[in-house]
Amino acid sequence: MNTKVLETVKAIVAASSNIVFFGGAGVSTASGIPDFRSATGLYNQRRGSKYPPETMLSRAFMLHHPQEFYDYHLNNLIARGAKPNTAHLVLAELEKAGKLRAVITQNIDGLHQAAGSKNVIELHGNTYKFYCLGCGQGYDLAFVDSARSLPPTCPICGKMVRPDVVLYGENLDGAVMQAAIDAIRKADVLMVGGTSLVVYPAAGLIDFYKGNKLVLINQQATPFDARADYILQGDIAKILPAFVENFDTKYER
Ligand SMILES: [Zn+2]
């Protein structure tokens, strides 16, 4: 960790009231949510199924094998009892202090909201939300848990209720993407963390940032290191608390 860079970024954060944070799986690893693409991540675990996870997380699989799709989803994509970690808490705190405008996330775990963040732009949806394929009615996890059989069906129209996440073979929501682009375009500081930045749409989104305070926080090098104005290498859950005064005392870690 370069302490001089850290001090500079601390001063930038202290002076800004328009920070946008863009994050990926690395933000949630300290909460015990597996990173999809790392060596120990979800994509490299078969968990006794005959299908690879990429297949089971596709739109076609959901439609043709709804029961197996649901079994996989409920057992692997919902981390019951997962709690926000220091990275989530710091970002919520910065928003409350009027410094951070939006959190854009590739994660589907809802932990930013659990930490108290209000303006959360979820690029890939939210694994705790569900909706009916027929009439669009929204449902929560309690509804799915109480279903007599899987897949759950809509009490209003009888069609299948599906998770509100973006599957393989599906496009990202246009309005959600636009909200992310708008936030990034207007940002004074763009802080990017816990993402390798190799997966669509991460790379494209960063191109919309026109400022000169692009801060990258990551364990490994990324294809955007050359474009970053400041690089903080390390665990995001350990680095972010530096940006909130007396964070340790507040949260009694
Ligand atoms: Zn319905």
Side-chain angles (χ1 to χ4, degrees):
M1 168 67 61
N2 185 326
T3 47
K4 207 175 146 199
V5 177
L6 183 66
E7 288 309 313
T8 308
V9 177
K10 271 169 81 172
I12 287 171
V13 169
S16 181
S17 58
N18 187 1
I19 302 165
V20 169
F21 179 85
F22 178 85
V27 175
S28 287
T29 42
S31 294
I33 311 270
D35 179 342
F36 272 62
R37 288 173 182 82
S38 73
T40 52
L42 211 47
Y43 283 17
N44 294 303
Q45 299 172 16
R46 282 296 185 95
R47 304 226 179 173
S49 170
K50 54 184 169 170
Y51 304 103
E54 296 91 323
T55 302
M56 287 190 284
L57 294 172
S58 70
R59 178 177 180 84
F61 194 82
M62 173 184 74
L63 296 175
H64 298 300
H65 306 269
Q67 194 182 345
E68 279 164 290
F69 168 82
Y70 252 100
D71 278 341
Y72 186 80
H73 187 88
L74 293 177
N75 288 319
N76 293 283
L77 290 194
I78 294 183
R80 292 176 199 262
K83 294 212 165 50
N85 63 56
T86 51
H88 301 105
L89 295 170
V90 166
L91 293 166
E93 193 73 22
L94 289 174
E95 184 188 58
K96 218 191 294 167
K99 311 187 78 53
L100 183 137
R101 295 280 177 92
V103 169
I104 302 166
T105 181
Q106 297 174 285
N107 300 339
I108 56 175
D109 52 41
L111 290 177
H112 286 294
Q113 293 92 328
S117 284
K118 302 284 181 242
N119 190 22
V120 183
I121 300 169
E122 297 175 302
L123 296 175
H124 295 144
N126 185 315
T127 195
Y128 294 95
K129 293 181 185 161
F130 300 80
Y131 67 90
C132 170
L133 275 175
C135 68
Q137 174 66 40
Y139 294 97
D140 60 10
L141 182 60
F143 168 83
V144 172
D145 280 341
S146 67
R148 261 185 241 134
S149 62
L150 294 175
T153 51
C154 176
I156 300 167
C157 75
K159 292 280 194 315
M160 175 175 157
V161 171
R162 61 161 288 180
D164 193 357
V165 297
V166 179
L167 301 170
Y168 284 94
E170 295 183 325
N171 294 320
L172 300 193
D173 184 287
V176 172
M177 270 299 275
Q178 195 54 53
I181 289 169
D182 288 347
I184 288 175
R185 243 188 209 139
K186 292 187 216 141
D188 163 33
V189 179
L190 179 61
M191 203 179 271
V192 180
T195 167
S196 54
L197 292 171
V198 291
V199 183
Y200 174 84
L205 276 174
I206 291 180
D207 284 335
F208 288 98
Y209 177 64
K210 300 297 176 214
N212 60 359
K213 293 168 201 135
L214 175 58
V215 182
L216 282 191
I217 307 171
N218 213 28
Q219 299 268 25
Q220 284 90 29
T222 78
F224 278 80
D225 284 8
R227 268 201 48 199
D229 299 294
Y230 307 94
I231 295 175
L232 295 169
Q233 198 171 5
D235 181 352
I236 189 156
K238 298 206 171 93
I239 292 173
L240 282 185
F243 302 135
V244 173
E245 219 171 315
N246 300 324
F247 182 83
D248 288 345
T249 341
K250 260 184 190 163
Y251 288 92
E252 293 175 352
R253 283 191 301 150

